Amino acid sequence: MLFFIESISTVNASNDEIVVEIETESKEIVEEQNIYEIKQKEFLHKEKEILSIQDHKEYYLEYKKLVEEYSEWVDRPTTIYECYKKEEIDLLHKVVEAEATAGGFNEKLNVACVIFNRIKHKKFGETLEDILTKRQFSPLADGRVYEVEITEDTILACEYAFQMPDITDGAIYFESKDCNVHAAYAEFLFQDDIGHKFYK
């Protein structure tokens, strides 16, 4: 009889331990969920704050920093490096650099946006490899792409153009200030600081 009582006590003790363990795990899950929700709200609040930054480069650098800071709590956005081969990205950098050598970040971003707008448009091709051809970009035809030195602005502009909303209002053509080829059949949008005229 004593043996039976001791067995019951042992079973009860085990059950109590299981209950405590379950309660502890549940509490930890709730705490983790609370932290996750707090971090999500923090991220969204900070993301909203940086939207007031007018400069595209400054905004994008802050955005990348923010994503890195909250990488444990938010899904990382897909990057250009996950979608295209290194050879394609290298060629993209060369074309953008050659087309906007005299420009800064914004001028290079405009060119990069046109390239990605062409992919979306599908009239020009569906991949970077389709778009980056001698027929579409003169630096590939005249060899300028092989003479340029890729700058940090160009790399950053290509990342931005792939990842963020288009800043050119849908431009799919651009030309130098001395040309008027696209004016005959496309809508003029704007001219940038190095004289490129953009159309859609």
Side-chain angles (χ1 to χ4, degrees):
M1 191 69 175
L2 284 174
F3 174 76
F4 179 73
I5 291 172
E6 285 175 0
S7 297
I8 296 268
S9 298
T10 304
V11 170
N12 286 339
S14 298
N15 285 342
D16 287 344
E17 288 173 3
I18 291 170
V19 169
V20 169
E21 187 176 337
I22 290 172
E23 287 177 348
T24 302
E25 287 179 358
S26 298
K27 186 178 179 182
E28 287 174 356
I29 290 170
V30 169
E31 286 176 354
E32 284 179 10
Q33 182 64 30
N34 288 341
I35 293 170
Y36 175 80
E37 288 176 1
I38 289 168
K39 292 295 183 181
Q40 283 272 313
K41 286 178 182 177
E42 278 182 11
F43 174 80
L44 292 172
H45 177 70
K46 290 184 179 181
E47 186 180 33
K48 190 174 180 181
E49 280 186 338
I50 65 172
L51 284 173
S52 62
I53 299 173
Q54 298 297 310
D55 183 270
H56 295 301
K57 181 180 178 179
E58 185 185 344
Y59 163 77
Y60 190 55
L61 288 171
E62 287 301 316
Y63 174 78
K64 288 184 71 172
K65 195 188 300 181
L66 188 60
V67 169
E68 185 64 34
E69 181 185 348
Y70 286 86
S71 59
E72 188 179 345
W73 312 102
V74 299
D75 293 331
R76 284 177 174 270
T78 304
T79 69
I80 191 173
Y81 307 104
E82 296 168 282
C83 294
Y84 295 103
K85 295 178 291 187
K86 182 182 183 302
E87 294 78 12
E88 290 178 294
I89 296 170
D90 288 345
L91 187 56
L92 171 67
H93 290 162
K94 288 175 182 177
V95 170
V96 172
E97 190 71 59
E99 289 284 14
T101 305
F105 178 80
N106 285 346
E107 289 71 38
K108 289 167 179 175
L109 178 55
N110 288 335
V111 172
C113 282
V114 166
I115 293 170
F116 285 107
N117 285 345
R118 286 189 176 190
I119 293 175
K120 294 170 191 170
H121 199 275
K122 298 190 185 298
K123 171 184 175 182
F124 305 91
E126 297 185 3
T127 67
L128 273 178
E129 194 172 4
D130 295 336
I131 303 298
L132 301 174
T133 64
K134 292 180 180 180
R135 184 177 61 83
Q136 297 197 43
F137 295 97
S138 59
L140 284 164
D142 62 25
R144 278 183 290 144
V145 293
Y146 305 109
E147 300 170 359
V148 294
E149 185 176 336
I150 307 304
T151 61
E152 195 62 36
D153 272 355
T154 292
I155 294 170
L156 201 62
C158 291
E159 291 177 1
Y160 184 115
F162 172 80
Q163 201 172 54
M164 309 303 287
D166 170 42
I167 68 160
T168 67
D169 191 26
I172 52 175
Y173 305 106
F174 67 92
E175 60 190 7
S176 70
K177 60 185 175 182
D178 300 322
C179 297
N180 285 296
V181 176
H182 300 304
Y185 55 83
E187 177 190 347
F188 174 77
L189 295 171
F190 65 94
Q191 182 170 317
D192 68 15
D193 289 345
I194 57 172
H196 279 150
K197 294 178 288 188
F198 290 80
Y199 302 83
K200 68 178 177 181

